[in-house]
């Protein structure tokens, strides 16, 4: 456990209906797989209820195995996009998927990028972005981009979801999402689609990223977390 997770012991629950309040849902994902890890069950239940769902994937995820010869950045980016598309077919087949394709670990935070993301968000939507206290540069960049979008789009509601920040001692006001059994099953199936990150698919880079089994179980077993503060 971590200080962050320990502090969630008394966090209140929230239903999908109460969280959305009749709004469209937009998930800003730093990499292909963050949408499933952080918001997969939410996407499934919202989509199943007929909510307009959108996923904006900001980077191409191509630096997870930088020393691989068999999987150069261009091939890995194609693989990760295919994994994302497969996962979304399970979670929310009717969702709009927007692939921005920025370089992994080099997300631009200029006004043009803010405007391009803002243009993808429906009026009055609930926007969920990665948390600024996640210890990863792209997660921080996406959190800052979301805040910048919120500054020019006062119609949206902005919330955050933690990925790596769950395993730190940071704390923030949180709600635990109440998800359906079907959503939890769909999330497990969707996470398995991200084979390059969740399995030893890429064999020629021992230092490349593969999420540990215990962390995968955590994301599948623990309720999804919604934070009000960046």
């Amino acid at each position: 456990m971590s200080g962050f997770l320990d502090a969630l012991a008394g966090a209140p629950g929230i239903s999908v209906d109460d969280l959305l309040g009749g709004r469209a849902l937009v998930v800003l994902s730093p990499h292909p797989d963050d949408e499933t890890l952080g918001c997969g069950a939410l996407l499934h239940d919202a989509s199943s209820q007929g909510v307009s769902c959108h996923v904006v994937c900001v980077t191409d995820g191509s630096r997870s195995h930088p020393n691989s010869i068999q999987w150069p950045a261009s091939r890995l980016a194609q693989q990760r996009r295919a994994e994302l598309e497969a996962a979304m077919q399970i979670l929310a087949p009717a969702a709009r998927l927007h692939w921005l394709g920025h370089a992994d670990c080099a997300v631009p935070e200029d006004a043009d990028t803010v405007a391009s993301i803002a243009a993808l968000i429906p009026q009055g939507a609930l926007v969920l972005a990665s948390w600024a206290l996640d210890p990863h540069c792209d997660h921080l960049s996406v959190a800052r981009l979301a805040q910048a979008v919120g500054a020019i789009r006062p119609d949206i509601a902005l919330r955050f979801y933690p990925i790596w920040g769950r395993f730190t001692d940071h704390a923030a006001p949180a709600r635990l999402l109440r998800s359906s059994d079907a959503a939890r099953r769909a999330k497990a199936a969707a996470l398995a689609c991200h084979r390059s990150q969740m399995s030893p698919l890429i064999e020629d880079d021992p230092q490349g990223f593969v999420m540990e089994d215990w962390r995968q179980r955590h994301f599948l077993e623990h309720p999804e977390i919604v934070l009000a503060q960046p």
Side-chain angles (χ1 to χ4, degrees):
M1 295 290 285
S2 66
F4 178 90
L5 292 172
D6 289 341
L8 289 182
I14 189 170
S15 69
V16 172
D17 286 343
D18 286 342
L19 176 63
L20 292 174
R23 295 171 293 211
L25 172 63
V26 178
V27 174
L28 301 184
S29 180
H31 310 102
D33 74 359
D34 290 318
E35 80 300 322
T36 299
L37 291 165
C39 303
L42 172 60
L43 282 162
H44 178 275
D45 279 343
S47 179
S48 296
Q49 295 172 18
V51 173
S52 175
C53 295
H54 304 249
V55 170
V56 181
C57 186
V58 176
T59 79
D60 62 9
S62 61
R63 289 193 57 175
S64 66
H65 293 75
N67 298 315
S68 174
I69 302 301
Q70 297 178 5
W71 292 82
S74 59
R75 182 187 180 193
L76 184 52
Q78 292 176 348
Q79 172 70 18
R80 296 204 67 181
R81 183 169 185 170
E83 291 172 351
L84 172 60
E85 291 171 349
M88 289 305 301
Q89 281 299 305
I90 294 170
L91 294 173
R96 293 281 304 275
L97 179 57
H98 307 278
W99 177 267
L100 301 189
H102 293 300
D104 202 353
C105 297
V107 176
E109 298 183 37
D110 56 11
D112 287 344
T113 304
V114 173
S116 68
I117 293 173
L120 300 174
I121 299 175
Q123 186 73 19
L126 172 67
V127 178
L128 277 168
S130 52
W131 190 32
L133 293 180
D134 271 1
H136 189 293
C137 60
D138 289 334
H139 290 229
L140 173 57
S141 291
V142 170
R144 287 195 294 239
L145 286 168
Q147 291 175 282
V149 168
I152 63 173
R153 288 287 305 274
D155 58 290
I156 68 173
L158 184 57
R159 300 291 183 269
F160 300 87
Y161 59 92
I163 300 294
W164 300 110
R166 295 166 180 245
F167 309 109
T168 70
D169 289 328
H170 295 302
R175 294 289 188 95
L176 301 180
L177 188 71
R178 292 194 289 269
S179 304
S180 68
D181 290 342
R184 289 188 285 272
R185 291 192 295 270
K187 181 171 179 172
L191 193 61
C193 292
H194 290 285
R195 296 174 59 223
S196 65
Q197 310 301 296
M198 306 297 155
S199 78
L201 173 69
I202 300 175
E203 299 177 332
D204 66 336
D205 184 359
Q207 277 69 56
F209 174 80
V210 178
M211 181 175 280
E212 306 95 327
D213 289 344
W214 71 266
R215 286 194 209 265
Q216 294 184 46
R217 288 194 300 271
H218 164 82
F219 282 104
L220 295 176
E221 295 170 0
H222 194 280
E224 292 180 350
I225 304 166
V226 179
L227 304 173
Q229 297 182 355

